Amino acid sequence: MEEPKEQFKNFIQEFIEEDLQDTSKLATRFPPEPNGHLHIGHAKSINLNYSLAKQYGGTFNLRFDDTNPAKESMEYVESIIEDVKWLGADYDDRLFFASDYFDKLFEYAIVLIKKELAFVCDLSPEEMQNYRGTFTESGVESPYRNRSIEENLKLFLEMKDGKYKDGEKTLRAKIDMTSPNISMRDPVIYRISHTNHYRTENKWCIYPMYDYAHPLEDAIEGITHSLCSIEFENNRPLYNWFVENVGFENKPRQIEFAKMQISNTIMGKRYLKKMVDDGLVSGWDDPRLPTIKGLRRRGYTAEIIKEFCNNTGISKSDSVIDISLLFHFARNTLKKQVPSIMAVIDPIKVVITNYPENEIQSLRIENNSEVDMGIRTVSFGKELYIESQDFMENPPKKFRRLSLGTEVRLKGAYFIKCNEVIKDENGKVIQLNCTYDALTLSGSGFNARKVKGTIHWVAAGAIESTLNFYENLTDENGNFNKESIRTVKALVETSIENFECNRFQFIRHGYFVKDNVNYTKDNPVYNCIVNLKSSY
RNA sequence: AGACUUGUCGCCAAGCGGUAAGGCACAGGGUUUUGAUCCCUGCAUUCCUAGGUUCGAAUCCUAGCAGGUCUGCCA
């Protein structure tokens, strides 16, 4: 990934430059809990942390914050590693696990106990809630708050040794029950959970809480700037309290910024999980999902995601980015690197009545994408297909495509004129009988008359493909919209076989990618990844 | 209600006391063998509101208003 553009130099960079006399000492991290798959919101954080480190010549760590064994698994670890690598965030050998720090974290808790800054509490969850107070009333100190250091040490060791059941005791920080900031009201730092951890298995039955573990993990790794989302703002004093009181020399700075939301897009982990579990989508890599795996399968490249992340800005204000911006960066990136070919999604048969039977011509067509993909050869014959939308029997005034009696150019081929419309018993147009003018071949220099428009076409015998259109999952009210899923067949020009790339622009239909999962030569499947704007 | 925090165009977002960048979207014009792409042009006398300080305020002060977060032994 490249460094962010200069105009997006923001408050985070100001902190960095203010705090570090030598900015190459910058150390950032991406600290996911392995309890789900990454989505584009995570990509933004990954990109930020990684590109900042890269920009200043600092370091970037990937750390799994696996302090809650109930939700975590190796499957998620592997998935996250795969996605982080695919996104291009190179963490080198700097892969860490909070669970590798469990011994240290335990020792630090003992330090706190010895400093009389932590105590073992016997309050039940309900009691603790009552003692905590409310937004306006201060809390009440736990009756166990003044146990001696020796007793706390003994009890804490017993907790560790499995003498107590889940929920029976906790280790709490001794801070201030009257603080207006509720996260400072003697927060729990260790809880008992006789749960198998996917890495440490049954070695531990007590696990550190996020609020305690996270700042210390950062401090241990020498992180200088700990970026997190805005909901941790209230926890910052606590973050600093732990680093300070455990006695770390390295004091990371926590900086919060707003999570990215995208319009009409479901990003919440639990909602994504529900859709996967309920079978509304085919899996975490369903191309309709904003997961990294989904986007990848949908045809997005890491570069598109990077561009999107780099150009949407970082701030503290709640923001919902319009999904059209994502589409814009997809188009903008791909148009520079993919060939455009002709494909007909909703075909009408065209018969060129004055064209010789059984004569197949090879026409050389220039690519009209930005990249020079050379000149390709496409067969042209008596029967072909055009887009049904490109024909109107009774066209409005400004219609520039084919209608009865008018002449248009077939892209890269000849002028044709429609003379007869054939309909089925329901009045649906099923065939157009046209004539062509052999003098008008593309590239022949013919200019005796002009034509209002050019349309794409595909010769009979082209590859038939299935196009899966994936649209937004929700309607304008945010409700899940099953109707938005549809599969469409399309005819694709045969020359597609000659292209080695797997992404194409289908003129006026958008960008498509061969779906690696389902693709076979006999049954090619393309996913529509972005619809072009179409104004007709 | 208490603490913390945010409020600049339809959506993002620069701006940090010197007279409102940029992108998306939108609208108009031009080029075009596709109504795409490309190229122009337009798009906040005004920065949540009201006062105040100042030669000068989106930027500083005061008071309001609106949104977000926090009362898990989740992260």
Side-chain angles (χ1 to χ4, degrees):
Chain A
M1 297 191 190
E2 287 164 26
E3 50 198 58
K5 291 176 184 168
E6 193 64 20
Q7 69 254 45
F8 287 102
K9 188 174 170 89
N10 54 41
F11 66 101
I12 295 175
Q13 281 154 301
E14 278 169 29
F15 278 128
I16 291 170
E17 286 165 20
E18 196 179 297
D19 294 344
L20 267 23
Q21 57 289 52
D22 174 6
T23 53
S24 73
K25 294 279 197 307
L26 175 69
T28 62
R29 102 269 94 116
F30 174 63
E33 184 187 16
N35 69 347
H37 298 271
L38 264 26
H39 56 64
I40 190 161
H42 296 110
K44 181 140 182 173
S45 173
I46 292 167
N47 182 60
L48 212 213
N49 280 290
Y50 173 73
S51 57
L52 240 23
K54 184 152 189 198
Q55 176 188 347
Y56 290 109
T59 55
F60 167 74
N61 297 2
L62 174 59
R63 178 176 73 233
F64 287 95
D65 205 0
D66 51 358
T67 55
N68 181 4
K71 297 180 172 179
E72 299 152 3
S73 77
M74 206 58 207
E75 176 206 335
Y76 292 126
V77 169
E78 284 160 6
S79 160
I80 290 169
I81 286 177
E82 179 186 299
D83 289 349
V84 170
K85 284 186 173 165
W86 181 77
L87 285 168
D90 181 13
Y91 51 83
D92 200 22
D93 60 350
R94 310 182 64 84
L95 172 64
F96 303 102
F97 290 85
S99 48
D100 285 339
Y101 306 141
F102 281 170
D103 285 302
K104 281 184 184 169
L105 259 12
F106 180 76
E107 292 304 320
Y108 296 145
I110 288 176
V111 169
L112 255 19
I113 291 173
K114 287 182 175 166
K115 286 175 134 178
E116 295 195 275
L117 291 173
F119 65 98
V120 173
C121 184
D122 296 3
L123 253 29
S124 71
E126 300 74 44
E127 290 169 325
M128 202 179 287
Q129 201 182 105
N130 294 332
Y131 275 80
R132 188 152 32 226
T134 66
F135 293 137
T136 48
E137 302 158 42
S138 63
V140 177
E141 293 185 353
S142 163
Y144 307 99
R145 198 175 199 260
N146 295 311
R147 295 218 250 228
S148 68
I149 294 176
E150 293 66 35
E151 188 182 5
N152 278 323
L153 248 21
K154 172 175 162 276
L155 259 18
F156 186 47
L157 250 36
E158 286 177 355
M159 279 168 65
K160 180 199 174 209
D161 291 339
K163 197 165 174 188
Y164 305 107
K165 291 199 280 287
D166 290 9
E168 216 173 313
K169 286 185 177 3
T170 56
L171 182 72
R172 295 225 262 162
K174 196 187 284 188
I175 309 181
D176 180 7
M177 290 306 289
T178 68
S179 172
N181 181 348
I182 292 173
S183 63
M184 297 299 273
R185 317 239 264 229
D186 292 4
V188 172
I189 62 184
Y190 264 95
R191 79 284 213 173
I192 298 170
S193 175
H194 291 269
T195 306
N196 209 271
H197 187 282
Y198 75 100
R199 289 185 82 238
T200 60
E201 301 191 331
N202 58 6
K203 183 180 172 195
W204 296 89
C205 63
I206 57 170
Y207 293 94
M209 301 289 290
Y210 168 88
D211 281 327
Y212 168 76
H214 203 92
L216 302 183
E217 292 158 16
D218 283 343
I220 290 168
E221 290 177 18
I223 299 301
T224 59
H225 295 266
S226 179
L227 311 185
C228 65
S229 48
I230 210 112
E231 67 261 33
F232 294 108
E233 232 160 15
N234 295 314
N235 306 40
R236 194 187 333 134
L238 185 54
Y239 181 102
N240 294 148
W241 190 92
F242 284 122
V243 173
E244 183 67 39
N245 287 298
V246 169
F248 273 97
E249 203 111 318
N250 171 47
K251 293 183 175 51
R253 177 180 205 135
Q254 172 176 303
I255 303 171
E256 309 85 16
F257 62 92
K259 266 184 180 168
M260 176 178 66
Q261 291 189 75
I262 299 179
S263 62
N264 289 100
T265 304
I266 292 166
M267 300 254 265
K269 216 176 256 181
R270 45 188 280 232
Y271 299 110
L272 292 174
K273 186 167 171 18
K274 185 166 170 52
M275 284 192 281
V276 174
D277 291 346
D278 293 354
L280 291 170
V281 293
S282 64
W284 285 95
D285 67 344
D286 188 293
R288 291 163 293 174
L289 259 23
T291 54
I292 302 302
K293 290 176 163 48
L295 288 169
R296 177 166 59 216
R297 193 171 156 204
R298 185 169 172 175
Y300 278 71
T301 58
E303 189 187 353
I304 296 171
I305 295 170
K306 182 199 73 185
E307 284 290 302
F308 175 71
C309 291
N310 279 168
N311 287 287
T312 44
I314 292 126
S315 74
K316 298 189 78 164
S317 55
D318 316 299
S319 57
V320 182
I321 291 164
D322 198 301
I323 190 138
S324 68
L325 204 57
L326 213 211
F327 295 161
H328 168 260
F329 285 109
R331 273 189 250 115
N332 204 43
T333 306
L334 289 183
K335 75 184 178 200
K336 296 168 191 148
Q337 43 197 222
V338 306
S340 71
I341 58 162
M342 297 191 288
V344 172
I345 285 178
D346 182 15
I348 296 189
K349 186 187 244 186
V350 167
V351 175
I352 300 173
T353 50
N354 61 340
Y355 191 83
E357 209 78 41
N358 300 325
E359 186 176 319
I360 303 291
Q361 236 188 110
S362 282
L363 296 180
R364 289 156 58 79
I365 297 192
E366 283 184 54
N367 207 294
N368 67 353
S369 55
E370 275 188 36
V371 243
D372 181 14
M373 301 301 286
I375 291 174
R376 66 187 193 279
T377 318
V378 169
S379 353
F380 181 89
K382 189 180 179 76
E383 290 191 358
L384 33 93
Y385 295 93
I386 65 166
E387 204 65 64
S388 71
Q389 285 193 320
D390 287 348
F391 173 79
M392 277 184 96
E393 202 174 358
N394 301 302
K397 276 208 177 78
K398 293 201 170 173
F399 193 70
R400 293 200 248 176
R401 287 159 278 149
L402 189 64
S403 57
L404 195 54
T406 65
E407 197 170 36
V408 294
R409 176 178 289 286
L410 293 176
K411 164 80 178 169
Y414 303 93
F415 285 7
I416 57 166
K417 184 176 182 179
C418 180
N419 306 305
E420 187 184 8
V421 180
I422 299 175
K423 297 177 185 172
D424 65 12
E425 61 274 18
N426 301 318
K428 189 181 176 234
V429 178
I430 52 170
Q431 182 176 320
L432 303 174
N433 287 339
C434 301
T435 48
Y436 87 117
D437 180 346
L439 297 175
T440 59
L441 179 62
S442 184
S444 65
F446 177 86
N447 64 359
R449 59 182 193 281
K450 303 229 178 209
V451 105
K452 275 205 313 193
T454 300
I455 60 175
H456 55 275
W457 54 276
V458 141
I463 300 174
E464 188 172 297
S465 305
T466 303
L467 300 174
N468 294 313
F469 278 75
Y470 290 107
E471 297 175 352
N472 290 338
L473 280 171
T474 52
D475 61 22
E476 61 278 8
N477 298 317
N479 300 315
F480 183 80
N481 181 8
K482 243 182 168 172
E483 306 307 309
S484 67
I485 307 161
R486 63 182 205 268
T487 300
V488 184
K489 284 205 168 177
L491 297 165
V492 183
E493 62 176 59
T494 49
S495 71
I496 194 169
E497 287 170 341
N498 301 329
F499 291 106
E500 284 182 7
C501 52
N502 66 351
R503 287 184 179 78
F504 301 92
Q505 181 188 165
F506 288 178
I507 297 172
R508 282 215 319 257
H509 293 309
Y511 293 84
F512 292 78
V513 61
K514 285 179 191 165
D515 188 320
N516 295 326
V517 180
N518 298 326
Y519 180 77
T520 62
K521 199 168 182 213
D522 298 328
N523 181 29
V525 172
Y526 301 90
N527 285 332
C528 169
I529 67 167
V530 176
N531 282 315
L532 289 171
K533 293 184 281 193
S534 63
S535 46
Y536 62 93

